[in-house]
């Protein structure tokens, strides 16, 4: 009788720990997020986050297809016939990650993949993740007739898009039957349940409800695996997203597609917004920690942005790192984090106070880099208002 018993135990353990069941977070990331939403109610219908980390197109744009056959009841399938044939898949919401594609081809050629966030950029070139040029397309080469599978290389992970254009390039009359197209979502890598929000909002105005939850979802898509930062050095076309952003497993960046880097200037809004909606500030902690790790140990100055960008010389973004620290500690009471970085925080305070001039008592801005303020400096108004970090320091030190 012992053999059937142990056989049953083995089956149960396999179901609990087999990769197909346990691997519900991003790749081999350890799941540390909540399993369920903290508050159940009618507001959950407004959550944009999918129920699964694997998603498929919600539909295709029939008005834009060229020499293609679509299947409305199975929108992840399509047929492309001949050179230049094209189909536009619509995921219905902003998504980001790695595309998986299964197909059968009658000949050789290549499938092109182009990504866009908005309809006005749909075509055989992806929209821009650098603001310098269109990103072009990825290509799945098909050497001969038969079945095939294409999986995007990890370094070409696409951070944010809604529309995926798939087109056929061939020198003959080949056709390709796309049998399955799916996307492995990369954002919020430590959560197995992407809908497990720990905060909620609900009112009688449905538009306001949608606005609130679209903001929460935007923050969620901006919390990414730490090894998926946008690389800029040496990249003159396309995109590369395999840069190291910071410590830990998850980190908050300024945008899922662009710039896909830590920018402390966003933390004034992002930190409290993430706290009241997602209720998880692990990504914020890691973003702040990389600013301390890369702080100039001689002067006390913070970089303007995290790696791999690592831009410097911004007094305002220096103060945003300090304000972000205050808000993170305020919301989490993470005194271990504060203790580990307290000496560096005081050094940062000494650096910025060293720029105060008298008798005016105003901050003289010499680190002039800032967002959309190309001519700022001296007694810049924004910097003077942020200079109110002084009471924050007193509150932290008490």
């Amino acid at each position: 009788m012992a053999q059937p018993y142990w056989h049953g135990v083995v089956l149960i353990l396999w179901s609990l720990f087999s990769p197909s069941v346990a691997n519900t977070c991003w790749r081999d990331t350890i799941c540390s997020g909540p399993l369920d939403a903290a508050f159940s109610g009618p507001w959950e219908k407004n959550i944009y986050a999918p129920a699964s980390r694997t998603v498929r197109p919600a539909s295709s744009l029939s008005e834009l297809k060229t020499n293609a056959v679509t299947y409305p009841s199975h929108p992840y399938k399509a047929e492309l016939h001949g050179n230049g044939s094209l189909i536009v898949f619509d995921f219905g919401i902003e998504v980001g990650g790695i595309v998986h594609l299964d197909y059968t081809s009658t000949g050789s050629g290549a499938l092109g993949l182009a990504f866009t966030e908005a309809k006005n950029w749909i075509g055989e070139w992806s929209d821009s993740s650098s603001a310098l040029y269109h990103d072009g397309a990825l290509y799945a080469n098909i050497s001969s007739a038969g079945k095939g599978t294409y999986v995007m290389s990890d370094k070409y992970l696409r951070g944010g898009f809604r529309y995926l254009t798939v087109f056929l390039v061939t020198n003959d009359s080949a056709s390709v039957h796309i049998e399955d197209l799916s996307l492995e979502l990369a954002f919020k890598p430590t959560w197995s349940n992407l809908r497990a929000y720990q905060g909620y909002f609900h009112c009688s105005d449905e538009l306001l409800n949608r606005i609130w939850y679209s903001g929460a979802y935007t923050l969620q898509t901006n919390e990414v695996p730490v090894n998926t930062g946008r690389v800029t050095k040496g990249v003159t076309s396309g995109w590369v997203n395999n840069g190291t952003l910071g410590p830990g497993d998850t980190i908050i960046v300024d945008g899922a597609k662009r710039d896909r880097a830590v920018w402390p200037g966003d933390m004034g809004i992002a930190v409290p917004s993430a706290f009241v909606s997602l209720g998880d500030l692990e990504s914020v902690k890691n973003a702040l920690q990389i600013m301390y790790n890369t702080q100039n140990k001689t002067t006390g100055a913070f970089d303007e942005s995290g790696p791999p960008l690592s831009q410097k010389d911004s007094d305002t973004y220096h103060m945003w790192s300090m304000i972000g620290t205050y808000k993170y500690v305020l919301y989490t009471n993470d005194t271990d984090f504060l203790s580990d970085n307290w000496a560096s925080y005081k050094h940062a305070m000494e650096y910025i106070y060293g720029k105060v001039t008298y008798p005016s008592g105003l901050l003289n801005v010499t680190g002039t880099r800032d967002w959309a303020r190309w001519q700022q400096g001296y007694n810049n108004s924004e910097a003077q208002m942020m200079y109110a970090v002084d009471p924050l320091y007193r509150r932290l030190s008490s």
Side-chain angles (χ1 to χ4, degrees):
M1 295 297 291
Q3 186 174 358
Y5 170 80
W6 286 112
H7 178 70
V9 170
V10 170
L11 287 176
I12 292 171
L13 291 175
W14 173 252
S15 69
L16 289 174
F17 298 108
S18 66
S20 62
V21 174
N23 189 22
T24 52
C25 292
W26 169 252
R27 301 294 173 83
D28 57 353
T29 302
I30 296 174
C31 297
S32 59
L35 298 179
D36 298 296
F39 305 95
S40 298
W43 44 83
E44 289 183 280
K45 73 178 187 299
N46 294 314
I47 297 177
Y48 288 90
S52 170
R53 191 165 287 278
T54 299
V55 296
R56 288 176 170 81
S59 63
S60 61
L61 303 185
S62 58
E63 68 273 21
L64 294 179
K65 69 180 181 181
T66 303
N67 295 328
V69 177
T70 57
Y71 299 85
S73 60
H74 298 90
Y76 50 88
K77 295 184 176 184
E79 296 176 23
L80 299 175
H81 298 285
N83 186 54
S85 53
L86 176 150
I87 181 73
V88 179
F89 293 101
D90 180 4
F91 283 83
I93 56 173
E94 180 90 352
V95 291
I98 299 291
V99 169
H100 296 242
L101 195 152
D102 295 325
Y103 62 87
T104 299
S105 175
T106 63
S108 62
L111 285 174
L113 286 75
F115 306 83
T116 60
E117 293 183 293
K119 276 188 175 181
N120 53 320
W121 295 109
I122 287 174
E124 295 182 0
W125 300 271
S126 301
D127 55 12
S128 176
S129 59
S130 68
L132 299 176
Y133 45 76
H134 287 164
D135 284 352
L138 300 178
Y139 290 90
N141 293 318
I142 303 171
S143 58
S144 61
K147 289 184 174 295
T149 296
Y150 171 74
V151 180
M152 286 168 55
S153 172
D154 285 358
K155 70 177 181 178
Y156 295 129
L157 176 149
R158 192 66 179 180
F161 69 96
R162 172 174 171 172
Y163 303 100
L164 170 60
T165 301
V166 179
F167 55 96
L168 178 59
V169 180
T170 180
N171 290 325
D172 55 32
S173 57
S175 295
V176 173
H177 180 199
I178 298 173
E179 297 165 346
D180 189 21
L181 188 150
S182 64
L183 181 76
E184 180 187 8
L185 295 174
F187 60 78
K188 206 62 177 166
T190 60
W191 278 26
S192 59
N193 180 1
L194 296 174
R195 297 175 59 84
Y197 285 19
Q198 299 302 288
Y200 77 98
F201 175 86
H202 195 63
C203 71
S204 59
D205 189 326
E206 283 304 310
L207 177 59
L208 190 56
N209 290 333
R210 289 170 55 197
I211 291 172
W212 194 92
Y213 278 95
S214 65
Y217 184 60
T218 299
L219 286 167
Q220 192 173 15
T221 62
N222 290 355
E223 298 189 4
V224 304
V226 297
N227 60 347
T228 63
R230 187 168 71 87
V231 177
T232 57
K233 188 175 182 179
V235 179
T236 57
S237 63
W239 70 96
V240 176
N241 284 333
N242 64 353
T244 299
L245 294 163
D249 293 317
T250 180
I251 197 165
I252 190 167
V253 295
D254 71 320
K257 184 184 71 174
R258 175 187 180 272
D259 283 318
R260 206 169 175 87
V262 174
W263 285 91
D266 297 335
M267 291 189 182
I269 300 298
V271 178
S273 299
F275 176 69
V276 300
S277 57
L278 306 176
D280 173 20
L281 294 183
E282 185 68 20
S283 295
V284 171
K285 175 183 179 179
N286 292 331
L288 288 168
Q289 190 59 59
I290 194 59
M291 303 314 296
Y292 283 100
N293 292 352
T294 56
Q295 183 183 23
N296 187 310
K297 305 307 179 187
T298 301
T299 66
F302 289 121
D303 284 355
E304 183 190 21
S305 61
L309 285 178
S310 298
Q311 295 183 171
K312 305 179 188 303
D313 300 320
S314 173
D315 289 346
T316 51
Y317 275 61
H318 173 93
M319 290 187 284
W320 278 122
S321 287
M322 303 185 74
I323 293 172
T325 299
Y326 167 73
K327 290 185 175 181
Y328 170 75
V329 174
L330 174 67
Y331 298 144
T332 65
N333 195 33
D334 188 349
T335 53
D336 288 339
F337 172 85
L338 181 60
S339 177
D340 290 343
N341 295 292
W342 183 238
S344 298
Y345 185 91
K346 290 193 293 183
H347 199 187
M349 186 64 71
E350 292 166 357
Y351 169 79
I352 203 66
Y353 265 110
K355 298 194 176 192
V356 176
T357 58
Y358 295 96
S360 69
L362 296 176
L363 183 69
N364 180 31
V365 176
T366 58
T368 56
R369 285 192 57 88
D370 200 354
W371 186 84
R373 296 179 180 88
W374 308 120
Q375 303 298 322
Q376 72 109 354
Y378 189 49
N379 295 146
N380 167 269
S381 297
E382 178 205 11
Q384 306 312 313
M385 289 182 279
M386 294 177 65
Y387 170 49
V389 292
D390 178 27
L392 304 186
Y393 170 77
R394 288 200 295 268
R395 292 181 68 177
L396 279 176
S397 60
S398 62

